[in-house]
Amino acid sequence: MAVRRIEMMGSRVLREEAAPVQEIDDELRRLVRDLLDTMYDAGGIGLAAPQVGVSRRVLVVDVPGEEGTDAAPQVHTLVNPVVADASAQTERESEGCLSIPGIEESVTRPARVTVEALAPDGKSVRIEADGLLARVLQHEIDHLDGVLFVDRLSPFKRRLVLKKWRKSRQG
Ligand code: NI
């Protein structure tokens, strides 16, 4: 088990466009294991490679099944994921981020997405997601493009949130 240090907002790597993975090798497999270890250690439901300082297009998610149903948790490791399709219908729900601890705000996103990616074994995967899974996938894919959820707030709300963040980091 290897838990890596999580980069906080302000770190440059979180603002870079991550590089596509060219080859699935031992280094990638180690990265995937460490991402899972780090996500579980932090109690998160998603983590992208830039958040552990690695600017590559890899993410992990573990989203619980819908409450009150017997739906299984959705665990995915995705390499070079893209949003292939997104619904016009949007949803507004609260989000947080392991790289911005203590901040939660409502973000509007497409309600349903189709995500295409490679699995760590090199096979193609296609995920049709709604609800929390759709939100988490979009949030994590944003990380691969250097985008944080606070960027998706109104300018007014964003200013307030950044102020609160800076204050909390000084304390
Ligand atoms: Ni995040």
Side-chain angles (χ1 to χ4, degrees):
M1 168 150 171
V3 172
R4 299 198 193 182
R5 189 172 63 90
I6 296 178
E7 300 287 335
M8 293 295 129
M9 180 160 67
S11 164
R12 188 182 303 170
V13 68
L14 292 177
R15 291 313 196 170
E16 289 171 1
E17 182 156 341
V21 172
Q22 307 287 0
E23 196 185 350
I24 293 183
D25 53 13
D26 284 347
E27 191 193 335
L28 179 84
R29 283 183 278 271
R30 195 173 317 122
L31 171 62
V32 164
R33 278 199 304 274
D34 289 357
L35 281 173
L36 287 165
D37 288 345
T38 306
M39 177 180 72
Y40 289 128
D41 180 70
I45 57 175
L47 190 66
Q51 292 182 275
V52 299
V54 178
S55 195
R56 300 181 76 189
R57 304 188 80 80
V58 184
L59 63 85
V60 296
V61 301
D62 185 344
V63 173
E66 202 182 326
E67 237 176 282
T69 74
D70 56 4
Q74 293 259 7
V75 186
H76 297 285
T77 296
L78 301 180
V79 176
N80 299 340
V82 293
V83 176
D85 197 21
S87 64
Q89 190 199 342
T90 57
E91 270 176 8
R92 188 174 165 79
E93 292 288 344
S94 182
E95 283 185 34
C97 180
L98 292 175
S99 295
I100 322 175
I103 304 288
E104 274 189 29
E105 287 298 334
S106 291
V107 181
T108 302
R109 295 187 187 270
R112 289 178 306 281
V113 289
T114 302
V115 171
E116 293 175 350
L118 295 178
D121 61 6
K123 290 198 180 112
S124 298
V125 289
R126 186 181 161 88
I127 301 169
E128 302 201 356
D130 61 7
L132 183 58
L133 180 61
R135 179 166 297 276
V136 175
L137 286 171
Q138 292 175 80
H139 176 118
E140 301 309 331
I141 291 172
D142 269 355
H143 274 301
L144 306 182
D145 293 323
V147 173
L148 301 175
F149 82 88
V150 294
D151 303 342
R152 299 203 175 274
L153 304 175
S154 69
F156 174 75
K157 193 82 207 177
R158 186 166 189 264
R159 263 199 308 279
L160 286 182
V161 163
L162 293 181
K163 208 172 182 179
K164 185 179 169 194
W165 168 252
R166 278 194 296 273
K167 226 174 188 171
S168 76
R169 301 298 285 172
Q170 285 160 4

PDB file of all heavy atoms in Angstrom, residues 51 96-98 139-140 143, ligand 1:
ATOM      1  N   GLN A  51      -3.819  14.971  -8.982  1.00  0.00           N
ATOM      2  CA  GLN A  51      -3.968  15.258  -7.551  1.00  0.00           C
ATOM      3  C   GLN A  51      -2.878  14.611  -6.702  1.00  0.00           C
ATOM      4  O   GLN A  51      -2.708  14.976  -5.541  1.00  0.00           O
ATOM      5  CB  GLN A  51      -5.346  14.799  -7.054  1.00  0.00           C
ATOM      6  CG  GLN A  51      -6.480  15.638  -7.643  1.00  0.00           C
ATOM      7  CD  GLN A  51      -7.810  15.184  -7.087  1.00  0.00           C
ATOM      8  OE1 GLN A  51      -8.418  14.247  -7.581  1.00  0.00           O
ATOM      9  NE2 GLN A  51      -8.262  15.846  -6.033  1.00  0.00           N
ATOM     10  N   GLY A  96     -17.436  18.480  -3.465  1.00  0.00           N
ATOM     11  CA  GLY A  96     -16.213  18.816  -2.750  1.00  0.00           C
ATOM     12  C   GLY A  96     -15.056  18.225  -3.513  1.00  0.00           C
ATOM     13  O   GLY A  96     -15.243  17.585  -4.539  1.00  0.00           O
ATOM     14  N   CYS A  97     -13.835  18.425  -3.000  1.00  0.00           N
ATOM     15  CA  CYS A  97     -12.646  17.934  -3.703  1.00  0.00           C
ATOM     16  C   CYS A  97     -11.547  17.697  -2.675  1.00  0.00           C
ATOM     17  O   CYS A  97     -11.343  18.538  -1.796  1.00  0.00           O
ATOM     18  CB  CYS A  97     -12.208  18.973  -4.738  1.00  0.00           C
ATOM     19  SG  CYS A  97     -10.739  18.480  -5.664  1.00  0.00           S
ATOM     20  N   LEU A  98     -10.855  16.578  -2.797  1.00  0.00           N
ATOM     21  CA  LEU A  98      -9.775  16.272  -1.843  1.00  0.00           C
ATOM     22  C   LEU A  98      -8.643  17.293  -1.935  1.00  0.00           C
ATOM     23  O   LEU A  98      -7.848  17.417  -1.006  1.00  0.00           O
ATOM     24  CB  LEU A  98      -9.230  14.855  -2.094  1.00  0.00           C
ATOM     25  CG  LEU A  98     -10.199  13.704  -1.770  1.00  0.00           C
ATOM     26  CD1 LEU A  98      -9.590  12.369  -2.175  1.00  0.00           C
ATOM     27  CD2 LEU A  98     -10.583  13.700  -0.294  1.00  0.00           C
ATOM     28  N   HIS A 139     -16.260  15.493 -12.756  1.00  0.00           N
ATOM     29  CA  HIS A 139     -15.353  16.216 -11.842  1.00  0.00           C
ATOM     30  C   HIS A 139     -13.914  15.717 -12.038  1.00  0.00           C
ATOM     31  O   HIS A 139     -12.980  16.523 -12.135  1.00  0.00           O
ATOM     32  CB  HIS A 139     -15.835  15.988 -10.404  1.00  0.00           C
ATOM     33  CG  HIS A 139     -14.967  16.592  -9.341  1.00  0.00           C
ATOM     34  ND1 HIS A 139     -15.420  17.563  -8.469  1.00  0.00           N
ATOM     35  CD2 HIS A 139     -13.681  16.331  -8.983  1.00  0.00           C
ATOM     36  CE1 HIS A 139     -14.420  17.886  -7.641  1.00  0.00           C
ATOM     37  NE2 HIS A 139     -13.361  17.149  -7.923  1.00  0.00           N
ATOM     38  N   GLU A 140     -13.738  14.388 -12.101  1.00  0.00           N
ATOM     39  CA  GLU A 140     -12.380  13.836 -12.213  1.00  0.00           C
ATOM     40  C   GLU A 140     -11.785  14.089 -13.595  1.00  0.00           C
ATOM     41  O   GLU A 140     -10.584  14.358 -13.717  1.00  0.00           O
ATOM     42  CB  GLU A 140     -12.373  12.336 -11.894  1.00  0.00           C
ATOM     43  CG  GLU A 140     -12.875  11.969 -10.495  1.00  0.00           C
ATOM     44  CD  GLU A 140     -12.223  12.750  -9.372  1.00  0.00           C
ATOM     45  OE1 GLU A 140     -11.059  13.168  -9.511  1.00  0.00           O
ATOM     46  OE2 GLU A 140     -12.896  12.966  -8.346  1.00  0.00           O
ATOM     47  N   HIS A 143     -10.279  17.402 -13.766  1.00  0.00           N
ATOM     48  CA  HIS A 143      -8.923  17.471 -13.188  1.00  0.00           C
ATOM     49  C   HIS A 143      -7.858  17.202 -14.247  1.00  0.00           C
ATOM     50  O   HIS A 143      -6.761  17.765 -14.190  1.00  0.00           O
ATOM     51  CB  HIS A 143      -8.762  16.428 -12.075  1.00  0.00           C
ATOM     52  CG  HIS A 143      -9.222  16.895 -10.715  1.00  0.00           C
ATOM     53  ND1 HIS A 143      -8.697  17.998 -10.083  1.00  0.00           N
ATOM     54  CD2 HIS A 143     -10.149  16.390  -9.864  1.00  0.00           C
ATOM     55  CE1 HIS A 143      -9.284  18.153  -8.899  1.00  0.00           C
ATOM     56  NE2 HIS A 143     -10.167  17.191  -8.744  1.00  0.00           N
TER      57      HIS A 143
HETATM   58 NI    NI B   1     -11.456  16.896  -7.110  1.00  0.00          NI
END
